[in-house]
Amino acid sequence: MQTNILRHPNVINLKSKLSNQAIRLLDSHVSLAVTGLSGSGKTAFITSLVNQLLEIKSNDSLPFFTVANQGRVIGVRRDIQPDVRCNRFAYEEAMQGLSKEKPSWPQSTRGISQVRLLIKYQKNTGLSQFLSETRVLTLDITDYPGEWLLDLPLLNMSYSHWVSACAEEQQESARAALLTEFNAYLASVDFNAEADEMLLMKGAKLYAEYLRLCMELGFKLIQPGRFVLPGEWQDAPVLHFFPVSDTVIAKQNLRLNRPQPGSNLELLIQRFESYKKEVVGPFYQQYFKRFDRQIILVDCLSALNTGPHSFADLQNALNWIMKSFDYGKNSLIGRLFKPKIDRLVFAASKADHVTPDQQQNLIKLLNDMVHSIQQTVQFEQVKTESTAIASIRASISGKANVNGESVGVLKGFDSAKGQSVTLYPGEVPSLVASYSQQSTHQFAFPYFSPPNLGGRKTLPHIRVDQVLEFLLSDKLS
């Protein structure tokens, strides 16, 4: 009987929480948030980070990771899943796909997953270095869909506030052009009439289709996120809500803060509030109140390829996302009861899709994009760094002679063409303004297939070791 009680999921979760609090008190724990919108490369990054650490004893591609260079890492292993309510991060499956003769990229994030690594190392400071004292750093990494991040600011918004935010977004001409069918539906509904669940479900499906079309056009601020990636809430009534337009509000004299009792509008507002309470709130409480380190992956190149509307929306989405996290300097007690993010990396992903001479421009462009965000978090004494990375390097850089001039080129495998390609992707603008002011936007940064590992155990990368150094070095000293 006692054995059965100890194996109950609630008891296991309690033991896990107590264990986590103990290692937090000893400052031997890092909870890393890997943040980014859809397509930014979160799953590939986590796969690479786990791979670099698990293979650290035979890994010669981490020159800037001090603890590895000094030979102080005794070993790294994956620990038992820390949260039994969460999926286990599919590292093994990702490596199987990458190790095939025709390798495939890891599956994109579809839900919440975690991985815990235990890093056993020898200390290098104080008396411990002479006593060969060993320590273990617990590293928890959480992966979650970028679409769901955009819902977190809703927790501080009323339905009226959200409707206003949606109306502002929909003024963008490309978005407005996609609203024809949804607007026709809104005009046909009497929102003061008695609530009709089926009628509202139809509107929610039309609004979800509008959001999916926005994604296809390259828009990044797609919200509510569960409308395009519902997960376990597929077809649930809690997703059957949508914003009403200013035109309908004025024509029907709708009072968003005091709707007609029992009306369609009242049910819409109730569903919006239920979404915050039942879906967004628990997601935030369970996963977003314990992070102390963060990397934000930004796919600048895809936005450049798509056009100015996508690039501008990416900036808006990043600002929206940052409202969801707690930033500040951690104290001993604060780390135990209310940890804050005290180190933050902004990383432009897919740096292997531009030539090495353009990577600095990519970093400058990223810095310009997140300038106001950096200022805000630095005021809270958060250490930040900006870089450009390739979690899994898929190209080889070289030189080619073009019209008698030597230029930098990339060589990689293009799965769409089914062949190796050698090309010069072009220059990356170093400032947002210089990109926005161009009369033409003809970027075509390539899409490469994963590299053939040829039996190698360690994934090739660009600057993942520098990310590890920034995020973990102080904990491994």
Side-chain angles (χ1 to χ4, degrees), residues 175-189 202-203 205-207 209-210 213:
R175 282 184 183 261
L178 303 175
L179 283 164
T180 304
E181 190 173 359
F182 177 69
N183 282 338
Y185 161 83
L186 290 180
S188 71
V189 176
K202 178 182 177 181
K205 288 184 176 180
L206 287 172
Y207 195 70
E209 180 59 25
Y210 155 73
L213 291 173

Side-chain angles (χ1 to χ4, degrees), residues 13 16 20 24 29-34 46 50 78-92 109 111-117 139-144 283 286-288 290-291:
N13 281 334
S16 177
N20 287 342
R24 278 190 184 281
H29 179 269
V30 170
S31 183
L32 175 63
V34 180
I46 297 174
V50 172
R78 183 170 186 167
D79 198 19
I80 295 171
Q81 174 69 18
D83 188 339
V84 295
R85 299 164 297 179
C86 231
N87 289 335
R88 189 176 188 272
F89 180 76
Y91 170 74
E92 292 81 6
T109 304
I112 303 169
S113 64
Q114 289 180 330
V115 56
R116 169 171 284 184
L117 298 179
L139 173 61
D140 284 335
I141 308 169
T142 304
D143 186 23
Y144 41 82
F283 176 55
Q286 290 175 22
Y287 303 106
F288 282 79
R290 60 189 184 200
F291 295 129

Side-chain angles (χ1 to χ4, degrees), residues 6-21:
L6 293 176
R7 290 179 178 176
H8 191 280
N10 290 340
V11 175
I12 294 173
N13 281 334
L14 178 61
K15 289 169 65 179
S16 177
K17 287 180 180 179
L18 292 173
S19 174
N20 287 342
Q21 287 181 336

Side-chain angles (χ1 to χ4, degrees), residues 298 300 311 314-315 318 364-371 432:
V298 185
C300 300
F311 197 80
L314 175 59
Q315 285 186 279
L318 288 173
K364 290 178 181 178
L365 179 66
L366 174 66
N367 266 328
D368 197 30
M369 288 180 64
V370 301
H371 177 70
V432 173

Side-chain angles (χ1 to χ4, degrees), residues 64-338:
F64 292 101
F65 192 28
T66 302
V67 69
N69 273 340
Q70 294 176 343
R72 292 191 290 109
V73 177
I74 296 168
V76 180
R77 69 175 174 85
R78 183 170 186 167
D79 198 19
I80 295 171
Q81 174 69 18
D83 188 339
V84 295
R85 299 164 297 179
C86 231
N87 289 335
R88 189 176 188 272
F89 180 76
Y91 170 74
E92 292 81 6
E93 292 86 341
M95 288 302 299
Q96 287 174 7
L98 290 164
S99 301
K100 293 178 181 177
E101 185 176 347
K102 293 184 178 180
S104 58
W105 289 112
Q107 292 291 316
S108 60
T109 304
R110 305 294 296 177
I112 303 169
S113 64
Q114 289 180 330
V115 56
R116 169 171 284 184
L117 298 179
L118 301 180
I119 306 171
K120 183 178 285 189
Y121 65 100
Q122 183 176 334
K123 286 185 66 63
N124 193 39
T125 57
L127 187 61
S128 298
Q129 62 181 314
F130 302 106
L131 300 176
S132 299
E133 181 182 347
T134 61
R135 293 281 181 89
V136 174
L137 176 68
T138 300
L139 173 61
D140 284 335
I141 308 169
T142 304
D143 186 23
Y144 41 82
E147 290 85 352
W148 296 357
L149 285 176
L150 296 171
D151 286 345
L152 298 185
L154 294 180
L155 292 172
N156 296 319
M157 299 173 76
S158 66
Y159 179 76
S160 177
H161 186 186
W162 179 63
V163 165
S164 297
C166 292
E168 185 176 346
E169 292 168 19
Q170 292 165 10
Q171 289 177 3
E172 208 285 339
S173 58
R175 282 184 183 261
L178 303 175
L179 283 164
T180 304
E181 190 173 359
F182 177 69
N183 282 338
Y185 161 83
L186 290 180
S188 71
V189 176
D190 181 355
F191 286 95
N192 285 315
E194 184 179 352
D196 183 338
E197 280 192 304
M198 295 300 293
L199 188 63
L200 297 188
M201 180 173 68
K202 178 182 177 181
K205 288 184 176 180
L206 287 172
Y207 195 70
E209 180 59 25
Y210 155 73
L211 292 176
R212 281 189 286 271
L213 291 173
C214 286
M215 286 189 71
E216 290 176 10
L217 278 185
F219 285 101
K220 304 299 181 182
L221 188 48
I222 305 299
Q223 174 274 335
R226 296 274 184 167
F227 277 40
V228 293
L229 193 64
E232 71 273 26
W233 300 100
Q234 180 78 46
D235 297 325
V238 74
L239 299 187
H240 295 166
F241 67 93
F242 47 83
V244 290
S245 66
D246 290 342
T247 302
V248 170
I249 292 171
K251 187 175 181 179
Q252 299 189 22
N253 193 27
L254 300 180
R255 297 173 297 179
L256 302 189
N257 296 320
R258 195 171 58 180
Q260 189 80 14
S263 65
N264 282 314
L265 179 60
E266 184 183 55
L267 184 56
L268 267 184
I269 296 171
Q270 288 174 353
R271 293 280 167 82
F272 174 79
E273 293 298 330
S274 294
Y275 183 72
K276 292 195 300 179
K277 180 181 179 182
E278 303 297 336
V279 180
V280 184
F283 176 55
Y284 179 76
Q285 291 292 334
Q286 290 175 22
Y287 303 106
F288 282 79
K289 290 203 146 217
R290 60 189 184 200
F291 295 129
D292 42 35
R293 299 285 158 94
Q294 183 180 26
I295 179 169
I296 297 179
L297 298 165
V298 185
D299 185 5
C300 300
L301 300 180
S302 293
L304 289 173
N305 277 349
T306 306
H309 72 279
S310 178
F311 197 80
D313 211 51
L314 175 59
Q315 285 186 279
N316 292 335
L318 288 173
N319 283 308
W320 188 276
I321 284 173
M322 297 298 289
K323 300 173 185 177
S324 306
F325 296 90
D326 289 329
Y327 295 96
K329 191 173 182 179
N330 270 314
S331 64
L332 182 65
I333 300 301
R335 186 168 55 244
L336 181 60
F337 295 105
K338 192 179 179 182

